């Protein structure tokens, strides 16, 4: 991309407004989805430049019961100024109160009657890694606490707390209360906002291309121009119909992150965050739990998820997880429970609801093992056939797995990259593979399952894993022995 000229004041203002409309459209989608799946305390309206919200009026999410959410949106076209004490405490360009002082005043007004409030600053500005308080922000909660409360009054953190309190016109106790509910949603670059919106629109059952995102944001802008500061559920539903955005049902969101942060974690109805409990710092090399964390603990967390979700009929799985956890998640919401599952795969929503013309009967190759009565099964959709078969066979034999034989199942056209292109094809192949295994597995004690396939297919396969035998699922951990047992699933 060629360098762009310096933005004019008008272009800066337009970019900032569009950023705000995108954040407001995010609130509209939360309103739509939470009411569709009947959450316990849904958003009932979205305010844009709302009345009686002080300096936190940019986007307001009013819920059936408080706390309501009040958001200040800050956009910049320059990365020169990070979020730090100077940015938050300096007077406005006209000599008025600082951002922190305005927020403190608004917070006092909003909570004067004893009703709590959820507060947030949403900005594309980055946090200052050298600021005593901003640097200790918890990325999971976006709060500065609890670490901002550490340290004596003479410590750098303590001295910063004193300066913040003085600037805000608060006592340090009041500052602590404010920081316990003020979220710093930082580094929300425009591309990240679009990514989150595309994911959220998909799980709302809407078209989720970038054009659809812009249509939603432009609708918000139009309402503001018309003087509508409160956007209701009926208004958002009508907009969805008028813009022809609807494609399917809305889903409850289950966020499972083991490799990298999930853009939808903040919107999720239940979150399982294992990023720090998997080995290595790189999302590309995370393979297994980091001791003392275990596969068994992760299995407990995943299998407990169904009871913690509202509207369990339709569940969308977001986040980043390897194949064994994806398969296990599918079994936790398997078809016999009446649940429908969905997952985003290469930008498309793969759903168990999607129809297909006929099941895809897989090709099957049979290898004698002769070490017992169990059955070893390899599902190979993406890896060079000889490499996968050799890795699985060598592991089964070296570990003395009590299998009588090894079955390798591949798509009809053989394993290759992008051999499963869409949701109907994935469902057809999952059903075909399951059905192909029912007869050979009918009399054996246990299945030992090895997977090399798209994550979405592993989830759909687990969802349909019924009328089979108890199954040990193995994960590729990229060690000398390649695999290790991860989960034991009753089937």
């Amino acid at each position: 991309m060629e360098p762009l000229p310096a933005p004019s004041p008008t272009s800066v203002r337009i970019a900032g407004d569009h950023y705000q409309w995108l954040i407001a459209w995010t609130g509209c989608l939360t309103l739509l989805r939470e009411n569709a799946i009947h959450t316990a305390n849904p958003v009932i309206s979205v305010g844009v430049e709302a009345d009686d919200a002080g300096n936190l009026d940019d986007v307001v999410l009013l819920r059936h019961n408080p706390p309501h959410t009040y958001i200040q949106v800050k956009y910049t076209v320059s990365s020169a100024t990070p979020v730090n004490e100077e940015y938050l405490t300096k007077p406005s360009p006209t000599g008025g109160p600082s951002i922190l002082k305005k927020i403190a005043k608004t917070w006092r007004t909003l909570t004067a009657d004893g009703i709590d409030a959820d507060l947030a600053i949403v900005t594309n500005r980055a946090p200052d890694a050298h600021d005593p308080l901003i640097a200790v922000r918890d990325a999971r909660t976006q709060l500065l606490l609890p670490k901002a409360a550490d340290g004596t009054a003479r410590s750098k953190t303590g001295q910063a707390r004193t300066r913040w309190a003085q600037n805000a016109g608060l006592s340090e106790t009041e500052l602590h209360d404010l920081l316990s509910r003020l979220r710093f949603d930082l580094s929300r670059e425009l591309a990240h906002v679009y990514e989150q919106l595309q994911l959220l629109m998909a799980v709302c059952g809407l078209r989720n291309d970038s054009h659809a995102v812009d249509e939603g944001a432009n609708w918000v802008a139009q309402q503001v121009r018309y003087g509508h500061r409160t956007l209701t559920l009926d208004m958002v539903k009508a907009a969805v119909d008028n813009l022809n955005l609807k494609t399917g049902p809305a889903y409850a969101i289950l966020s499972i992150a083991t490799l990298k942060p999930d853009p939808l974690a903040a919107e999720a109805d239940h979150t399982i965050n294992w990023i720090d409990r998997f080995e290595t710092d790189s999302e590309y090399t995370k393979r297994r739990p980091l001791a003392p964390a275990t596969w068994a603990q992760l299995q407990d967390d995943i299998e407990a998820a169904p009871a913690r979700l509202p509207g369990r009929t339709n569940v969308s799985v977001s986040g980043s997880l390897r194949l064994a956890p994806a398969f296990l998640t599918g079994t936790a919401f398997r078809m016999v429970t009446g649940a429908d599952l969905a997952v985003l795969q290469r930008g498309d929503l793969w759903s168990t609801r999607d129809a297909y013309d006929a099941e895809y009967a897989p090709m099957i190759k049979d290898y004698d093992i002769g070490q017992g009565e169990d059955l070893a099964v390899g599902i190979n959709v993406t890896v060079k056939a000889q490499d996968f078969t050799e890795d699985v066979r060598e592991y089964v034999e070296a570990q003395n797995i009590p299998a009588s034989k090894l079955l390798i199942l591949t798509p009809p056209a053989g394993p290759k990259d992008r051999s499963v292109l869409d949701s109907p094809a994935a469902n057809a192949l999952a059903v075909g593979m399951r059905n192909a295994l029912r007869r050979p597995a009918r009399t054996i004690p246990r299945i030992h399952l090895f997977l090399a396939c798209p994550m979405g297919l592993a989830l759909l396969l687990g969802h349909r894993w019924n009328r089979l035998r108890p199954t040990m699922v193995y994960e590729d951990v990229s060690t000398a022995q390649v695999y290790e047992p991860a989960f034991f699933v009753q089937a």
Side-chain angles (χ1 to χ4, degrees), residues 7 75-84 87 123-128 187-190:
Y75 180 80
T76 180
V77 294
S78 170
S79 302
T81 307
V83 175
N84 55 19
Y87 172 74
T123 179
N124 62 330
R125 295 178 187 270
D128 186 342
S187 297
R188 287 285 298 276
E189 295 289 350
L190 195 59

Side-chain angles (χ1 to χ4, degrees), residues 129-145:
H130 303 290
D131 185 272
L133 298 186
I134 296 296
V136 297
R137 168 180 168 269
D138 189 327
R140 298 168 299 177
T141 64
Q142 301 174 339
L143 297 172
L144 304 189
L145 295 180

Side-chain angles (χ1 to χ4, degrees), residues 136-385:
V136 297
R137 168 180 168 269
D138 189 327
R140 298 168 299 177
T141 64
Q142 301 174 339
L143 297 172
L144 304 189
L145 295 180
K147 290 186 177 180
D150 293 344
T152 65
R154 293 185 178 183
S155 68
K156 287 185 178 181
T157 303
Q159 292 177 36
R161 287 197 304 266
T162 299
R163 293 191 299 271
W164 280 41
Q166 290 173 347
N167 182 271
L170 302 174
S171 68
E172 289 208 30
T173 299
E174 289 173 322
L175 178 67
H176 183 281
D177 290 343
L178 173 60
L179 295 184
S180 71
R181 50 188 51 79
L182 175 58
R183 293 180 289 108
F184 289 81
D185 191 352
L186 310 179
S187 297
R188 287 285 298 276
E189 295 289 350
L190 195 59
H192 177 265
V193 173
Y194 268 86
E195 178 189 7
Q196 183 194 31
L197 276 166
Q198 288 182 279
L199 294 172
L200 190 54
M201 289 182 76
V203 299
C204 285
L206 308 181
R207 285 194 291 113
N208 69 323
D209 54 274
S210 59
H211 179 64
V213 172
D214 284 333
E215 286 184 296
N218 292 339
W219 175 81
V220 173
Q222 183 183 61
Q223 303 315 301
V224 175
R225 289 195 298 271
Y226 290 166
H228 298 149
R229 296 190 178 188
T230 300
L231 309 178
T232 66
L233 179 60
D234 286 342
M235 292 171 69
V236 176
K237 284 182 175 179
V240 166
D241 290 339
N242 292 336
L243 295 171
N244 295 315
L245 296 178
K246 192 69 175 176
T247 60
Y251 290 83
I253 301 174
L254 170 61
S255 171
I256 307 178
T258 62
L259 309 179
K260 60 182 179 179
D262 179 11
L264 280 187
E267 298 288 340
D269 300 287
H270 182 59
T271 301
I272 300 173
N273 185 350
W274 268 61
I275 296 171
D276 295 333
R277 300 174 73 180
F278 260 57
E279 290 182 346
T280 83
D281 294 328
S282 169
E283 64 189 75
Y284 302 105
T285 56
K286 288 179 182 288
R287 297 276 180 167
R288 49 148 70 118
L290 176 66
T294 65
W295 289 113
Q297 291 170 331
L298 180 56
Q299 180 164 359
D300 288 343
D301 285 354
I302 290 174
E303 291 183 338
R308 297 177 181 176
L309 282 172
R312 285 178 279 166
T313 301
N314 299 314
V315 178
S316 178
V317 179
S318 68
S320 55
L321 58 165
R322 300 196 63 80
L323 297 181
F327 180 87
L328 177 69
T329 303
T331 66
F333 293 90
R334 67 188 71 187
M335 179 174 284
V336 294
T337 67
D340 282 307
L341 275 185
V343 64
L344 276 167
Q345 183 74 37
R346 305 190 191 100
D348 295 325
L349 197 69
W350 286 14
S351 170
T352 57
R353 300 170 61 96
D354 290 333
Y356 54 91
D357 293 331
E359 67 182 65
Y360 290 169
M363 294 193 300
I364 303 175
K365 291 190 176 181
D366 187 323
Y367 301 88
D368 288 329
I369 301 296
Q371 295 180 169
E373 298 180 347
D374 293 352
L375 177 66
V377 174
I379 304 293
N380 183 17
V381 177
T382 56
V383 179
K384 183 179 177 181

